[in-house]
Amino acid sequence: MKSFIKKILFVLMVISTFSGQVVFAKDDDLSSYIYNHLENWDTEFDFSYNKSDVLDYVRSIAQKDDYLDRSLESLVYERRGLTGTLKVTYKTTKTQEEYISEELKKIISTTITDSMSDFDKVKAINKYLIDRFEYDDSLVSDNSYSALTTGKTTCQGYAMTTYKLLNLVGIENKIVLGTLDGVPHGWNLVKLNGKWYHLDVTNNDAVGNDKYFLRKDSILVADGFSWENNKYPKCDEDYDFGNSNNGIGQSTIGYKSNVDGNWTLNNGKWYFYKKTRTYAKSWNIIDGKWYFFSNNGDMETGWISFGGKWYYCYPDSGAMAVNTVVNGYTVDGSGAWVA
């Protein structure tokens, strides 16, 4: 009897093969088949699916990977009897995705070192993208390819590129789809030490500092962000920068500088002009020391309020004071004034 059943199954497989119909014994097999085609950026492939929710089914499969899900432009399923063809349009071509993959590997090789903690890696990626990208006010550039080739992109390009880079260095993250002041907006969630945090590189770039670097839900809600809470992990607290050797938010271990460029003096003010052809802003490590630059790019000195704490940068050099007493006020190893 078992031999007879095997023969029947073999005949059915042969018939299916000659009829051009792709048959799967389990839903998991079909799901894997579809996912593999989507992941390969295939624009057409056949399979049998007799329910009316075929496009929702395909979408649910694509949602296994946030980057893939955000890359889908359109899905069309054309039925032909017992089988059908899925036609897919992506935001990018397969060739463009190959470029993205190679370019991101280059970025990782020049930005990330083995000595970095996961926190340092997130910080370095955030900083790199802020330096390389600027917001596309025309709203045309909405993917990683156009972002990397033009230097301009919308929030989607920021979030998608962040997602890919963090995945490459082994850091779990998600792309959040929500709104900011009622306008559609996307950003990332990052998992560090078992906890989730918000990372909005787009607005970190826009405001010139790391206002939305590893923040909790309530901070974003207070600033007009909104998202479907049941779809994403909760972020109950800000990241504890005190565990990263620097209260500003980045460890100096393993760094000489987090930016490359040259100092320049203009109208009595010092600027640091980066190789990305933009001026350094906010906090930057240069030759192992922290410096603070305004939104205009000029170096600031004296007492500086940042993130609810006070720091002191020497007027003669601009470098931040650490582990010392300034005019009777003690600053710790992170540079923050100890009240």
Side-chain angles (χ1 to χ4, degrees), residues 123-142:
K123 184 69 177 179
I125 288 171
N126 174 72
K127 183 64 179 175
Y128 179 89
L129 295 180
I130 287 175
D131 289 342
R132 179 158 178 172
F133 294 165
E134 61 181 79
Y135 194 79
D136 180 18
D137 293 321
S138 70
L139 306 181
V140 173
S141 175
D142 65 350

Side-chain angles (χ1 to χ4, degrees), residues 33 37-38 41-47 76 78 80 84-90:
Y33 170 83
H37 274 290
L38 293 175
W41 248 246
D42 294 333
T43 55
E44 289 189 17
F45 52 95
D46 297 340
F47 61 91
V76 177
E78 297 180 352
R80 297 188 312 278
T85 299
L86 183 70
K87 296 184 177 181
V88 187
T89 303
Y90 304 87

Side-chain angles (χ1 to χ4, degrees), residues 97-110 128 132 144 148-149 165 168:
E97 283 300 310
E98 291 171 354
Y99 168 85
I100 292 169
S101 179
E102 291 304 311
E103 183 66 13
L104 296 186
K105 289 177 183 177
K106 291 178 184 177
I107 293 171
I108 294 300
S109 68
T110 57
Y128 179 89
R132 179 158 178 172
S144 291
L148 291 167
T149 54
L165 285 170
L168 281 175

Side-chain angles (χ1 to χ4, degrees), residues 112 116-123 125 162-174 189-193 195-196 199 214:
I112 304 300
M116 287 183 178
S117 66
D118 282 350
F119 171 85
D120 286 337
K121 292 174 183 177
V122 177
K123 184 69 177 179
I125 288 171
T162 300
Y163 179 86
K164 293 278 279 187
L165 285 170
L166 289 175
N167 276 352
L168 281 175
V169 297
I171 296 176
E172 186 177 355
N173 74 107
K174 299 177 181 293
L189 287 179
V190 180
K191 190 176 185 180
L192 290 176
N193 302 323
K195 297 180 180 179
W196 287 94
L199 172 63
L214 305 183

Side-chain angles (χ1 to χ4, degrees), residues 58-118:
V58 173
R59 273 287 182 185
S60 69
I61 294 170
Q63 287 169 359
K64 294 177 182 178
D65 182 274
D66 288 356
Y67 182 88
L68 173 60
D69 183 42
R70 300 309 303 156
S71 296
L72 298 182
E73 286 274 67
S74 66
L75 298 171
V76 177
Y77 186 69
E78 297 180 352
R79 297 184 185 277
R80 297 188 312 278
L82 296 177
T83 188
T85 299
L86 183 70
K87 296 184 177 181
V88 187
T89 303
Y90 304 87
K91 290 184 179 295
T92 52
T93 66
K94 186 180 294 189
T95 300
Q96 289 172 340
E97 283 300 310
E98 291 171 354
Y99 168 85
I100 292 169
S101 179
E102 291 304 311
E103 183 66 13
L104 296 186
K105 289 177 183 177
K106 291 178 184 177
I107 293 171
I108 294 300
S109 68
T110 57
T111 307
I112 304 300
T113 65
D114 293 338
S115 63
M116 287 183 178
S117 66
D118 282 350

Side-chain angles (χ1 to χ4, degrees), residues 235-287:
C235 305
D236 295 323
E237 58 187 55
D238 287 338
Y239 186 84
D240 182 5
F241 294 136
N243 290 330
S244 303
N245 301 323
N246 194 291
I248 297 166
Q250 180 168 332
S251 168
T252 58
I253 296 175
Y255 284 90
K256 181 178 180 182
S257 302
N258 69 334
V259 288
D260 293 322
N262 296 289
W263 287 99
T264 179
L265 182 63
N266 186 13
N267 292 327
K269 295 183 178 181
W270 283 101
Y271 300 80
F272 193 82
Y273 193 64
K274 301 181 292 185
K275 288 186 177 180
T276 54
R277 298 182 180 180
T278 58
Y279 287 105
K281 296 179 181 180
S282 191
W283 290 103
N284 288 269
I285 308 169
I286 301 171
D287 293 330

